[in-house]
Amino acid sequence: MNKTGSSCIRQAPSTRSFPVHFCSVVKRARRSGLVRPEQPLLCRRKRFHKGLRLVLRVEVLPKEVIQRIASGEVIDTPVAAVRELVENSLDAEATRIEIEVNFDVCDITVRDNGHGMRPHDLENCILQNATSKLRSLEELETGQVRTLGFRGQGLWAISQLCESLQIRTASEGSPCGYMIDYNARNGTTDPVQPVAMSSGTIVQVRGLFQGQQFAMRLAAMPRKTQLRQQLLSFVQATALCHPSVSWRVREGGRNVLVLFGDHHFLDEESEEESAKRALIRMFSQITDILPEECGAFLDRHACCVLAYPDRGHHRVRADAVTVAVNGRAVQNAELQSAVLSHMRRSVPSGRFPIVFVHLRCPGEDVDWNIRPMKTEMRLKNLDQWLQRIRESIDRCFSIPLSELSSADSLAGIYARNAMEAENSAFDGLPHISMHPSLLKLEVVAQIANTYILATNPELGDLWIVEQHTAHERVLYEKFSAQSNRLTSDTVELPVPIIVRAPFAETDVDGIRDSLGIHMTVFGPMEWKVERIPRMFLENGILDLESRNVKRVAEQSFQYLLQTLKSASDLEDQIAFLACKAAVKNGTPLSLERMQWIVNAWLETRAPRTCPHGRPTFRQLNAKELEIFFQRRYTPRGSVDDPRGSVPSRHAPC
C-alpha cells in the first residue's frame, strides 16, 4: 500500500490502454497477414514496451514495381532520355544528329544518319536488357565493350515512362525503312510497318513523365530554363568528344544550338592533324573563341584543347573545365582537380581556365558499373592517366611555328554565320592548318627598357616580349624543378641578418622546413637569419655585395620573409621568389642577355603567361600588318579563301 492507500502492484496493460489508432493498425496488420496472430506487437510508447511486437514479412516486389524503379534510375529527367538516344546514335556511327525537344509536354525527337536497324532488331530494341553491343559476361569483365551503351536499358526505360514511343529506321542499302509504335498506356506494340525514309534512325518520344503516376516526379522536375541549360551542356560536352559529328538542337521550332562537325581530310595533312583541326574548330564554335587563340594536342591516349589565358580567356567559375573518358563526359573529382592544379599558375588568381581533356583508356582500365547514368567511373592506374593529363596540357601551351592570322579567323566566322543564316545542311568551315614545330625568334632591339622586340626570320612575324614576365616564367619552372635544393643546399651567411617581424615559432619552423631559411631568436620581435638557400645568392634574390647590408636586411629580406610567410603553399612561395629574382622592367639589357631570355622562355612548359597569369608576349604577323596598312586584302573567293580562286588584290600605291 502507498501513502494514498492504493495498491502498488501494477496492472498488466489491456488493449483499452492502447491508443485507438494503434489498435486499428494492429487489427489491420493481423487481418492482412503481415503479423502472426500469436506474435505480440510492441507499441512505440515506452510504457507499453511489454506489449505486442510488430514483425514484417519479406516479400518479392511485383514486376511492375521493379520495372518502375529500374526505369526511374536510368531516366530521371528529359535530358537523361536525350542522352540515351544520342549515345545510340553515336554508337551507330552517325555524323549528323538533330535533337528537337518541347519541355512543356516533354516531347523528344532525335534524328541521325547512322547505320539504322533491321526489322527484327526493331522489334527487340525496346525490350529490357536487349542490346547489340554486349554478348557475354567475359566481354564485360575483360573490358571488350567499345560502345557508349551496353546495358540495353535506355529505350526500354524510356518506353516505361512515356505515353508513346515511335521508332523509324532504315539501314544502308535497304529499299525502304521500317517503323514501330509502342503504346505505354496499354503496353501494346504495333506490328512493324514499312516507311519511306533515307538511311538513319528517328526516335520520337511523346509525353515523357506525363500522367498521374508521375505527378510527384514531375513536380520535382527542374524548371524549363534549367533543363535547357542541362541539355546544351550535355550536347556541347559530347560534341567535343566527337568533333566530327554535326549537331542541331531545336526547341519550339527554332534553333537553339548549331555545331558543324568536320570529318573531311585534306590531301596534305595526316589523320592526326585533321583530328586536331576538327577539335579546335568545334571548341571554337562552343566557346566563341577564335581558333588561333586555342591550343590543342592529340595522341593515341589523350587529347586536350584549351583557350590561351594570355588572351584573356578565363572565367570566374570552373564550369568551363570538361573531362571526358572514352567518348563520354564524366564527373570525376580527381581528374578535374589534376587539370585545375596543373593550370593554376597559368591563369590569374581567382580565375579558372577554359579547357577540355579527353582520355582514351583501354576498356579493362575503366569501370562504368557505378551508376546507371554512367556519368561516374573509376580508373585503373590513375596516377599514369593523371600524368598524361599534365603532359597534354603542357603540349597545348607550346607556341607553334605559325599562328593563324585574324583574317583567317574572320573568314571562318563569316562562313559559319552565313551557313547558320542559310540553315544549310552542316557544311564545313574553311580548313585550318596547324604547324606543331617550335618557334625560333631573333632579338633585334629593346623598347623602353621593358619590352624585347624579336622577329621570326622565316615568316616575318613581329613579337613583343615583356622581359620581366618572360624571365619570371623561366625562373619559376627552374625553381620548381629544383625545389629540393631549397632545404638541402644552404649556405651560412658571413654576417647574420637581423629581421624585425612578429613571427611565431611555428612560422619560423615552417619557413625552415619549406625554404631552408634558418632563423633563431635574437630579441623581442627580432630574429637572426644565419643560413639561407644557395639559390638565393645564385639568382640574385639576396644581394650580399651591397654596401649597406643593414638596409638590405631591414627592407629587402624582411619584406621577403613576410611575403613568404603569407603564401598559402610552396607553389606560391616559389612564384614569389621567381618574381623577386626576375629582371625588372626598366633595366637595360644587352642583345645577348635578351636572346638568352627569349630562348629560355620558348623552352618553358607554359610560355604564354607568367606564374601569376599575366601575358608574356604579343604577336603581330605579316597578314595583320598588311591589313592594317591597307596594303593587301582578301575578298571572298580569293586564293586564301578555299571557296574560290580569285587572285588577291593589292593596294594601288
Side-chain angles (χ1 to χ4, degrees), residues 138-374:
E138 181 182 359
E139 293 182 0
L140 182 63
E141 293 178 345
T142 57
Q144 299 181 21
V145 180
R146 297 292 185 267
T147 55
L148 296 175
F150 57 88
R151 295 174 178 169
Q153 295 181 351
L155 282 175
W156 168 81
I158 294 174
S159 66
Q160 299 297 313
L161 301 173
C162 67
E163 294 181 352
S164 64
L165 174 65
Q166 183 185 86
I167 303 176
R168 287 178 286 175
T169 183
S171 58
E172 188 175 358
S174 176
C176 65
Y178 299 92
M179 179 182 66
I180 188 172
D181 283 317
Y182 177 80
N183 192 337
R185 291 183 176 179
N186 50 22
T188 59
T189 304
D190 296 340
V192 177
Q193 300 177 1
V195 63
M197 63 175 297
S198 58
S199 61
T201 303
I202 302 176
V203 180
Q204 293 181 335
V205 181
R206 295 291 179 263
L208 187 66
F209 300 121
Q210 301 297 314
Q212 189 63 30
Q213 66 273 25
F214 305 112
M216 184 179 299
R217 171 163 292 188
L218 197 61
M221 195 75 65
R223 292 179 296 180
K224 185 168 66 173
T225 55
Q226 294 176 326
L227 291 174
R228 183 187 301 112
Q229 184 59 41
Q230 292 177 9
L231 176 61
L232 296 181
S233 299
F234 162 73
V235 173
Q236 291 171 351
T238 309
L240 289 173
C241 298
H242 307 272
S244 61
V245 180
S246 299
W247 303 78
R248 187 194 304 275
V249 180
R250 296 173 60 84
E251 181 185 5
R254 64 182 184 89
N255 291 339
V256 179
L257 178 67
V258 178
L259 300 174
F260 302 97
D262 189 358
H263 55 275
H264 301 288
F265 292 87
L266 298 180
D267 296 336
E268 65 274 8
E269 67 179 0
S270 62
E271 182 179 356
E272 180 180 347
E273 292 176 346
S274 178
K276 184 186 298 185
R277 171 171 52 83
L279 180 61
I280 291 180
R281 178 182 165 198
M282 183 62 70
F283 186 79
S284 175
Q285 295 179 73
I286 292 175
T287 59
D288 286 334
I289 297 175
L290 299 179
E292 69 270 19
E293 297 180 355
C294 304
F297 169 74
L298 184 144
D299 65 1
R300 189 166 55 92
H301 298 288
C303 69
C304 176
V305 58
L306 54 83
Y308 293 140
D310 60 302
R311 304 297 179 90
H313 300 309
H314 37 72
R315 295 187 179 180
V316 180
R317 297 183 298 273
D319 54 353
V321 179
T322 306
V323 180
V325 176
N326 292 355
R328 180 188 288 111
V330 297
Q331 300 293 332
N332 189 288
E334 295 173 325
L335 299 180
Q336 292 179 344
S337 177
V339 174
L340 293 175
S341 62
H342 197 63
M343 297 191 65
R344 177 186 173 192
R345 288 299 165 189
S346 300
V347 295
S349 177
R351 308 288 291 186
F352 297 92
I354 305 174
V355 58
F356 169 74
V357 178
H358 187 189
L359 298 179
R360 298 185 178 94
C361 308
E364 58 271 14
D365 287 359
V366 187
D367 181 13
W368 293 105
N369 293 313
I370 298 178
R371 294 184 181 274
M373 299 181 185
K374 293 173 289 190

Side-chain angles (χ1 to χ4, degrees), residues 353-499:
I354 305 174
V355 58
F356 169 74
V357 178
H358 187 189
L359 298 179
R360 298 185 178 94
C361 308
E364 58 271 14
D365 287 359
V366 187
D367 181 13
W368 293 105
N369 293 313
I370 298 178
R371 294 184 181 274
M373 299 181 185
K374 293 173 289 190
T375 56
E376 298 182 9
M377 37 68 67
R378 295 189 183 96
L379 273 179
K380 184 181 178 181
N381 302 323
L382 180 62
D383 294 338
Q384 298 180 7
W385 293 108
L386 295 180
Q387 182 61 27
R388 289 191 181 275
I389 289 178
R390 301 185 188 99
E391 294 175 355
S392 301
I393 294 175
D394 292 344
R395 295 292 296 272
C396 289
F397 272 114
S398 62
I399 300 178
L401 176 64
S402 174
E403 296 188 344
L404 295 176
S405 66
S406 58
D408 295 333
S409 62
L410 291 176
I413 294 176
Y414 175 82
R416 187 178 70 204
N417 293 338
M419 284 186 291
E420 291 180 359
E422 297 171 1
N423 197 17
S424 63
F426 301 96
D427 294 330
L429 293 178
H431 296 296
I432 300 171
S433 60
M434 300 296 293
H435 304 279
S437 55
L438 293 179
L439 185 70
K440 301 296 182 183
L441 295 180
E442 180 179 346
V443 175
V444 295
Q446 184 185 29
I447 303 176
N449 293 334
T450 301
Y451 305 102
I452 300 175
L453 193 64
T455 61
N456 184 353
E458 298 179 0
L459 301 176
D461 295 348
L462 184 65
W463 291 68
I464 304 174
V465 183
E466 185 184 352
Q467 60 189 26
H468 174 72
T469 55
H471 193 208
E472 184 181 355
R473 168 56 67 177
V474 173
L475 293 180
Y476 172 76
E477 298 192 4
K478 175 184 176 182
F479 292 168
S480 298
Q482 302 176 359
S483 59
N484 57 342
R485 285 189 56 197
L486 291 173
T487 56
S488 61
D489 189 6
T490 60
V491 296
E492 185 175 356
L493 294 176
V495 179
I497 300 176
I498 308 303
V499 177

